Amino acid sequence: MSSDFFEELKSRGLVHQATDENALIKQLNEESVKLYIGFDPTADSLHIGHLLPILMLRRFQQRGHVPIALVGGGTGMIGDPSFKDQERQLNTLNTVQEWSLSIKNQLSRFIDFEDQTNPAILANNYDWLGELKLIDFLRDVGKNFTINYMMSKESVKRRIETGISYTEFAYQLLQAYDFLNLYDEHGCLLQLGGSDQWGNITSGIELLRREREVQGFGLTMPLITKADGTKFGKTEGNAVWLDAEKTTPYEFYQFWINTDDRDAVKFLKYFTFLSLEEIAAIEKEFVAAPETRVAQKALAKEVTTLVHGEEAYNQAVHISESLFSGDIKGLSAEEIAQGFKGVPTYQVSSEDDLSIVELLTTSKIEASKRQAREDVQNGAIYVNGERQQDLNYVIKDEDRIGGKYVVIRRGKKKYFLLTF
């Protein structure tokens, strides 16, 4: 371990703020440091907004340090007010516990809990927060913080005008207690988080100093912004999840392949384990010929493979190439389901007339039989990628991909899915 690691993190743009940077580098150079990041279960899956901190844990583990992935089963019952415009909706204990289990399973795909030299540690703060007694907590933790100190945190100040409940106001004390508990249990000295977590992290460092006379450290990563001003992690208004059931590998791949030219190289540094030298070579090629989209292709390959595996990546590429070329029949039923998730779908019943004109109107692809006939005759209708101009054409068993799907295209880009 050397300071080169910290310099690499900086070169990748992954260091936003650090407490006592020189002392932190010295600590990292001298021993294997235990560090943690918390993940509150606010849904049944993590999304790509969590990917940067997850990969930071992996980067530290690769350099010989011990990452602690903390699932916020306790803090998830409260809700972090950091840079939120309004109170979070409170979820039931059963819901939070179910989501916590899902998140535990996801985290194990990225960091190694079985490593022979520095295995990662998985923890859930409900194990200690759920046992807290209010009087003890107020005496042992609350006495260390003045109201002025707590209100000075930027995440709290932003909510004072619109209102913040005592529940969310006290969140930073719970996160500080997490740091103290992880120090006592595991000797954890470093907390990582997004830049919006700076106030919570420094509260934990303060509690360590006051209660244990120990210097803890904090390091934050930048909050990711996109060059076009839209929110990172959203596509068409929906979150991009790490769960393949919620966001298919094809959708996931498409999110990365459609990265803005201005963001592609930056995201290669953030989200991949390609060396900086490899990224520099890609950047040079990309700048010389941006139309090749070599940076986006490398990004989509690395991140999709990392999250979903090589087979899923290859399948996503196959779906993309088939849709671009129009070779729909070359896709499997599973690939059809991925590639056409979200398109208008019509369940064909046994009573339906399977002639092309009737089916176009019954399924609402066309508004009328007259319009359906015109579009068929004019060559605007495609069945499984092949133009169909026969008004008497009838959908046959061999048209059903995997026995389940027929893809109808009207014009250049409007797709519809018939299911059987």
Side-chain angles (χ1 to χ4, degrees):
M1 175 66 203
S2 73
S3 58
D4 291 346
F5 173 51
F6 201 85
E7 289 306 313
E8 181 188 334
L9 294 180
K10 281 188 165 183
S11 297
R12 288 180 176 272
L14 294 174
V15 177
H16 180 72
Q17 285 176 294
T19 60
D20 202 341
E21 185 175 305
N22 290 332
L24 174 57
I25 292 173
K26 184 174 183 291
Q27 190 79 33
L28 292 171
N29 288 342
E30 291 179 350
E31 63 180 65
S32 175
V33 171
K34 292 185 174 69
L35 61 137
Y36 93 95
I37 299 178
F39 302 91
D40 277 357
T42 55
D44 60 354
S45 170
L46 298 171
H47 52 73
I48 61 171
H50 296 107
L51 198 52
L52 195 68
I54 293 172
L55 298 185
M56 279 290 274
L57 290 180
R58 182 166 171 153
R59 292 183 198 280
F60 273 84
Q61 185 173 32
Q62 288 180 342
R63 293 301 186 108
H65 301 288
V66 180
I68 302 172
L70 179 65
V71 178
T75 44
M77 296 289 295
I78 302 300
D80 185 357
S82 297
F83 297 93
K84 299 293 180 185
D85 294 329
Q86 56 189 6
E87 293 271 327
R88 292 178 184 270
Q89 178 180 341
L90 296 180
N91 295 299
T92 66
L93 176 60
N94 285 341
T95 297
V96 172
Q97 288 179 334
E98 287 176 8
W99 290 352
S100 297
L101 182 59
S102 297
I103 289 173
K104 281 184 180 181
N105 294 335
Q106 286 185 330
L107 289 169
S108 65
R109 297 185 348 226
F110 300 98
I111 51 180
D112 191 350
F113 296 98
E114 307 296 331
D115 189 281
Q116 296 300 308
T117 54
N118 59 323
I121 297 168
L122 192 63
N124 187 327
N125 64 16
Y126 187 77
D127 293 343
W128 53 87
L129 295 181
E131 300 298 320
L132 279 179
K133 294 182 179 179
L134 179 60
I135 298 298
D136 293 339
F137 181 74
L138 292 176
R139 286 174 59 86
D140 298 338
V141 178
K143 67 181 176 60
N144 289 289
F145 299 94
T146 66
I147 293 296
N148 291 346
Y149 177 86
M150 295 175 68
M151 289 184 64
S152 71
K153 303 299 183 182
E154 190 63 32
S155 57
V156 173
K157 286 199 297 187
R158 289 182 51 161
R159 283 280 298 279
I160 292 298
E161 290 185 9
T162 58
I164 182 171
S165 70
Y166 177 74
T167 300
E168 288 198 352
F169 180 63
Y171 184 94
Q172 64 177 283
L173 299 187
L174 297 177
Q175 187 163 326
Y177 186 71
D178 284 344
F179 204 169
L180 180 66
N181 189 83
L182 290 173
Y183 170 77
D184 288 343
E185 292 293 319
H186 303 289
C188 180
L189 288 175
L190 172 62
Q191 182 180 172
L192 276 61
S195 61
D196 61 335
Q197 291 298 306
W198 184 251
N200 292 334
I201 290 172
T202 52
S203 293
I205 293 171
E206 179 69 7
L207 187 61
L208 276 182
R209 184 185 68 80
R210 287 174 172 267
E211 287 293 316
R212 300 294 182 267
E213 297 183 351
V214 167
Q215 180 177 12
F217 300 94
L219 187 155
T220 62
M221 297 152 279
L223 289 183
I224 305 170
T225 55
K226 292 171 70 173
D228 63 5
T230 59
K231 188 173 182 180
F232 175 79
K234 300 278 187 178
T235 178
E236 298 178 359
N238 299 313
V240 180
W241 301 97
L242 302 186
D243 185 340
E245 295 297 318
K246 295 170 77 70
T247 299
T248 68
Y250 167 73
E251 292 174 306
F252 191 83
Y253 170 84
Q254 284 294 313
F255 174 82
W256 297 103
I257 203 72
N258 289 318
T259 298
D260 191 299
D261 285 354
R262 295 166 291 178
D263 291 325
V265 174
K266 178 176 73 173
F267 288 176
L268 277 169
K269 293 177 182 178
Y270 281 2
F271 295 106
T272 80
F273 289 87
L274 295 173
S275 69
L276 289 171
E277 292 74 20
E278 289 173 312
I279 294 172
I282 292 170
E283 182 177 17
K284 184 178 179 180
E285 184 180 348
F286 180 56
V287 169
E291 71 278 3
T292 64
R293 300 183 65 76
V294 64
Q296 285 92 338
K297 290 175 182 177
L299 178 65
K301 177 181 180 180
E302 293 296 320
V303 185
T304 305
T305 301
L306 180 68
V307 174
H308 294 296
E310 187 174 0
E311 183 179 347
Y313 160 72
N314 290 331
Q315 190 176 56
V317 172
H318 182 225
I319 295 171
S320 299
E321 291 175 345
S322 296
L323 293 182
F324 182 77
S325 66
D327 181 23
I328 304 299
K329 287 187 175 180
L331 296 173
S332 67
E334 180 187 350
E335 289 169 335
I336 290 289
Q338 279 200 54
F340 293 95
K341 179 183 174 184
V343 307
T345 301
Y346 176 71
Q347 176 70 49
V348 180
S349 70
S350 57
E351 291 79 26
D352 283 325
D353 187 332
L354 297 182
S355 66
I356 189 69
V357 172
E358 288 288 343
L359 205 49
L360 288 172
T361 52
T362 304
S363 62
K364 309 298 184 187
I365 295 173
E366 299 283 13
S368 66
K369 290 183 180 179
R370 179 188 63 78
Q371 187 63 55
R373 284 192 290 267
E374 283 185 13
D375 282 351
V376 171
Q377 289 177 318
N378 292 335
I381 299 298
Y382 295 76
V383 177
N384 293 336
E386 296 180 355
R387 178 179 278 132
Q388 184 52 253
Q389 293 181 275
D390 182 0
L391 289 173
N392 297 314
Y393 188 82
V394 175
I395 300 295
K396 302 180 288 295
D397 287 346
E398 53 263 36
D399 291 324
R400 303 180 190 180
I401 298 172
K404 297 172 65 175
Y405 302 113
V406 171
V407 178
I408 303 293
R409 191 179 99 209
R410 190 182 74 206
K412 291 185 177 181
K413 293 183 177 180
K414 292 186 177 179
Y415 283 95
F416 304 84
L417 190 62
L418 305 180
T419 64
F420 293 81

